[in-house]
């Protein structure tokens, strides 16, 4: 058995409990494990997941078999456990499949196994103003894969990190972002320069204060991670402010479930337009996942279009929107910190709202660079580092 | 009144019906139009959408006012229609707002106005094998903004187009994709080369047949548009096959609503992994929009992970999945065409599934290049061209 090809995967699946029995039933094989758990596997599922080189191309580790090419009622002629503890199935049409017990346990879909996987999923750690800010060192992140993994886990689970010791040459940001993956381009470029400009095409490029927001809520998929790198910061003001949008959404859910529901249900349009582009996205401010957990915040008052909901819903939406903004202004949620040259913020743009106090360009120069990396890239890099 | 600043927008809002009356009510102003329609506008909504230069920064056309900074019960001291037909509101706190009637009608949220906007939204045109393929000429698209708009509307509404007369130098694809916007990068590069490779990291880079699929279903946001450009095609076989995934989903909904529901409800994991990346995305095969219309298809059998649903749901999922694949194999849905050098496909990757027949690398060279552009960019370019 070629184990590498057999998994169609780069993960390892250690043996946790051995298989002790395999019992054929009408539409499934029911296996029993050394800890007493029983797991049913339907015939279609087993045939579909056959890891043999005829069914999975070993170079790409991608499936070649399409399940529709075997009969819907295909059943085993025989099932047994072999000397290495694998589940072997001889199919009625002569095909043979062999399943590693570590892999099989990791993919078992009895209720208990599924519940176990759910419990083991990474969880967001909510925070308020007293967050112990996770701080990392640039040089270490560039050299050390373990440190890199710790940083990326903090970004994933806490959603706000700071990196220090970053070179202050323009473009340096690229090198550290690319420790994760390629940069997500936008109409503002691959890297964007946050400076006060006379012909600003975004309020970000003025000296105004910016209220708490996510970047590019005008796109179907808001950028996953945002980097903000300080090159020069001689101007008075311009402190960075962060809040955990998930913590605020949960606080709203507690104190005013009706307002929370309105922000989950009523879509709002965000717009970003200039001479060359016109982006619009209609989506609720709070998105929930399949389990009802807060999964995403979409918010930027300065990019919002006129509310468009029914006459009955309009007062409900305004009440909820006002309450949400009021919460973002409460000191208990707000982490305020001035970024110094050579420091950068890396945060979850779909969770951690960011703001900037107004600054006074007459008092000195201020130059930040920013870029985006998508959440797919973060999660992929974490999985590769964890192999 | 500075009209440009007043709209916070680059669109024009022609006057369709004049305002004939404005009646103040307890929490709203109710206006009447020349066609007899009445539209209520809540006080909060009107104040929030004040277009004056204090509320909207005229350079960026972005809102500066945050509605929470005015009292929740702020009401007008007076409302009137002025000589130019605008709605003028004098607020109790002294602020004044003035609303253009064209803009106001375009944003009215009475039931009738909202229903009208819904009806006028672009609709997908479903197709089968007898589609009159929309074909465009490369040179014309590069030179002529009207032709460009017609092409992009066909991509948006039909989801499959062909462009001819494209130079066959590697990289030429970039120029036409950039007529829309920047290219969306992936782990396969900015442009990807579809050629048979010994060390393939995807079945796409073999000579195998590829069943009907969307590209990168392993990412949270599947790429919106896919380009496939033929540089060389001397090998036998390798014909392109397309089906309208929306038409197939609708056919499934008609013939087997239970199977359709299973594919809308039960999430499936797609995986794409190699030595350097490990992408996973869990989502249903058919996604619906808020109105229950089919909005997206996510499908690639060769990138699918083992189904992970409850023991009760597993047979239901297999039955639905088999039926969906069976429909994609029906000749009535399949448009089959060999791409010749200098031609390219541009299609909606989230709707139009594509496949390739196996080809024989021994009979000649075959070299395609591909790239992605996101739907946000397509829709933005269309809006700008329509201004």
């Amino acid at each position: 058995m070629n184990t590498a090809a057999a998994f169609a995967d780069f993960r390892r699946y250690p043996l946790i409990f051995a298989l002790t029995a395999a019992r054929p039933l009408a539409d499934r094989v029911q296996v029993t494990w050394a800890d007493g758990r029983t797991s049913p596997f339907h015939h279609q599922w087993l045939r579909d997941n056959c890891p043999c080189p005829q069914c999975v191309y070993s170079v790409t580790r991608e499936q070649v078999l399409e399940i529709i090419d075997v009969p819907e009622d295909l059943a085993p002629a025989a099932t047994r456990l072999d000397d290495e503890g694998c589940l072997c199935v001889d199919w009625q049409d002569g095909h043979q499949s062999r399943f590693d017990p570590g892999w099989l346990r990791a993919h078992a879909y009895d209720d208990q196994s599924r519940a176990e996987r759910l419990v083991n999923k990474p969880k967001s750690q909510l925070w308020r103003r007293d967050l112990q800010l996770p701080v990392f060192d640039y040089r270490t992140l560039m050299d050390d894969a373990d440190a890199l993994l710790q940083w990326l886990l903090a970004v994933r689970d806490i959603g706000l990190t700071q990196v220090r010791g970053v070179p202050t040459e323009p473009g340096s940001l690229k090198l550290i972002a690319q420790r994760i993956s390629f940069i997500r381009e936008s109409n503002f470029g691959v890297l964007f320069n946050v400076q006060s400009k006379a012909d600003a095409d975004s309020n970000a490029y003025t000296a105004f204060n910016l209220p708490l927001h996510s970047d590019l809520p005008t796109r179907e998929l808001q950028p996953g991670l945002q980097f903000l790198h300080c090159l020069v910061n001689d101007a008075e003001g311009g402190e960075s402010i962060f809040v955990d949008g998930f913590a605020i959404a949960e606080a709203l859910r507690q104190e005013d479930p009706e307002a929370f529901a309105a922000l989950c249900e009523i879509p709002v349009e965000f717009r970003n337009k200039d001479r060359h582009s016109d982006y619009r996205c209609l989506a609720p401010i709070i998105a929930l996942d399949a389990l009802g957990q807060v999964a995403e915040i979409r918010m930027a008052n300065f990019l919002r279009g006129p509310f468009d909901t029914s006459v009955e819903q309009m007062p409900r939406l305004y009440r909820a929107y006002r309450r949400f903004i009021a919460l973002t202004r409460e000191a208990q949620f707000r982490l305020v910190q001035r970024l110094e040259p050579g420091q950068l913020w890396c945060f979850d743009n779909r969770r951690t709202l960011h703001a900037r106090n107004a600054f006074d360009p007459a008092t000195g120069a201020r130059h930040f660079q920013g870029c985006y990396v998508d959440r797919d890239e973060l999660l992929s890099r974490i999985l590769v580092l964890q192999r």
Side-chain angles (χ1 to χ4, degrees), chain A:
Chain A
M1 180 178 177
N2 177 340
T3 311
F7 290 149
D9 205 338
F10 284 79
R11 287 189 165 178
R12 278 162 289 126
Y13 294 98
L15 180 69
I16 299 176
F17 292 104
L19 285 167
T20 58
R23 193 155 69 100
L25 299 175
D27 66 341
R28 65 191 80 175
V29 176
Q30 180 141 312
V31 306
T32 308
W33 306 93
D35 63 342
R37 184 176 299 177
T38 61
S39 304
F41 294 99
H42 289 89
H43 297 156
Q44 285 279 297
W45 190 95
L46 286 170
R47 183 64 192 84
D48 189 22
N49 289 292
C50 176
C52 86
Q54 270 177 273
C55 295
V56 175
Y57 180 47
S58 59
V59 174
T60 59
R61 306 185 189 212
E62 290 175 1
Q63 193 175 15
V64 177
L65 172 77
E66 287 186 275
I67 189 63
I68 193 178
D69 289 321
V70 303
E72 194 153 13
D73 59 357
L74 183 72
T79 60
R80 67 182 187 285
L81 304 181
D82 71 9
D83 293 350
E84 294 174 56
C86 292
L87 172 66
C88 300
V89 180
D90 297 334
W91 298 98
Q92 286 165 338
D93 63 2
H95 195 82
Q96 296 187 311
S97 303
R98 187 164 176 269
F99 301 95
D100 175 275
W103 182 90
L104 205 57
R105 176 81 177 210
H107 294 86
Y109 53 92
D110 59 275
D111 291 347
Q112 209 178 345
S113 298
R114 296 188 76 223
E116 225 169 61
R117 285 201 289 279
L118 199 61
V119 165
N120 290 330
K121 277 197 172 173
K123 303 271 179 304
S124 296
Q125 299 161 31
L126 302 191
W127 51 266
R128 299 193 171 195
R129 66 178 298 170
D130 57 354
L131 170 69
Q132 281 288 2
L133 181 66
V135 175
F136 298 85
D137 173 62
Y138 173 80
R139 202 60 259 162
T140 315
L141 295 181
M142 295 302 286
D143 295 339
D144 176 352
D146 280 343
L148 180 63
L149 177 60
Q150 294 315 309
W151 176 43
L152 301 187
L153 291 173
V155 172
R156 183 189 69 184
D157 297 335
I158 299 168
L160 177 61
T161 65
Q162 192 178 83
V163 180
R164 297 184 183 164
V166 188
T168 53
E169 285 78 48
S172 308
L173 177 53
K174 237 179 178 169
L175 298 175
I176 186 154
Q178 288 170 344
R179 284 291 277 165
I180 306 177
S181 188
F182 57 85
I183 293 170
R184 171 168 159 181
E185 190 168 351
S186 80
N187 61 314
F188 298 111
V190 173
L191 293 191
F192 50 88
N193 288 290
V194 187
Q195 283 169 301
S196 173
K197 301 176 199 173
D199 62 339
D201 54 355
S202 161
N203 282 357
Y205 305 144
T206 67
F208 301 164
N209 78 299
L210 280 182
L212 284 157
H213 67 285
S214 52
D215 266 24
L216 307 198
T218 54
R219 313 304 153 89
E220 191 171 351
L221 182 73
Q222 298 186 103
L225 306 186
Q226 179 168 171
F227 293 77
L228 276 176
H229 174 211
C230 177
L231 306 176
V232 181
N233 197 1
D234 294 334
E236 280 173 22
E239 295 81 10
S240 303
I241 304 162
F242 295 95
V243 300
D244 181 353
F246 289 4
I248 285 175
E250 288 301 342
L252 183 64
R253 166 140 61 179
Q254 290 305 314
E255 77 159 48
D256 191 343
E258 216 319 276
F260 177 83
L263 296 186
C264 294
E265 289 162 18
I266 306 177
V268 168
E269 191 178 64
F270 293 93
R271 302 173 170 192
N272 183 211
K273 66 276 159 186
D274 65 15
R275 272 174 209 84
H276 308 293
S277 62
D278 195 332
Y279 297 100
R280 288 152 194 258
C281 180
L282 182 72
I285 289 171
I286 302 176
L288 303 180
D289 65 18
L291 299 173
Q293 300 289 309
V294 176
E296 177 160 14
I297 308 292
R298 187 181 291 266
M299 169 62 99
N301 188 72
F302 51 99
L303 299 175
R304 187 169 52 78
F307 284 156
D308 182 5
T309 187
S310 68
V311 177
E312 294 65 39
Q313 294 290 334
M314 193 60 81
R316 179 177 176 235
L317 178 56
Y318 268 108
R319 199 177 70 77
Y321 187 72
R322 292 178 68 101
R323 191 62 206 131
F324 186 89
I325 295 196
L327 283 172
T328 67
R329 293 185 176 189
E330 285 186 11
Q332 59 166 325
F333 291 111
R334 292 164 81 97
L335 186 145
V336 183
Q337 196 169 313
R338 186 184 162 85
L339 202 64
E340 301 299 336
Q343 300 180 340
L344 70 78
W345 297 113
C346 174
F347 58 95
D348 182 340
N349 180 61
R350 298 164 67 184
R351 166 183 176 183
T352 301
L353 302 179
H354 63 296
R356 170 188 75 203
N357 284 333
F359 62 92
D360 180 356
T363 57
R366 186 180 192 273
H367 185 192
F368 282 38
Q369 288 192 315
C371 71
Y372 307 116
V373 170
D374 265 331
R375 192 180 286 173
D376 287 328
E377 303 304 321
L378 171 73
L379 299 181
S380 166
R381 180 62 55 231
I382 288 174
L383 287 179
V384 171
L385 291 168
Q386 284 177 333
R387 274 179 191 161

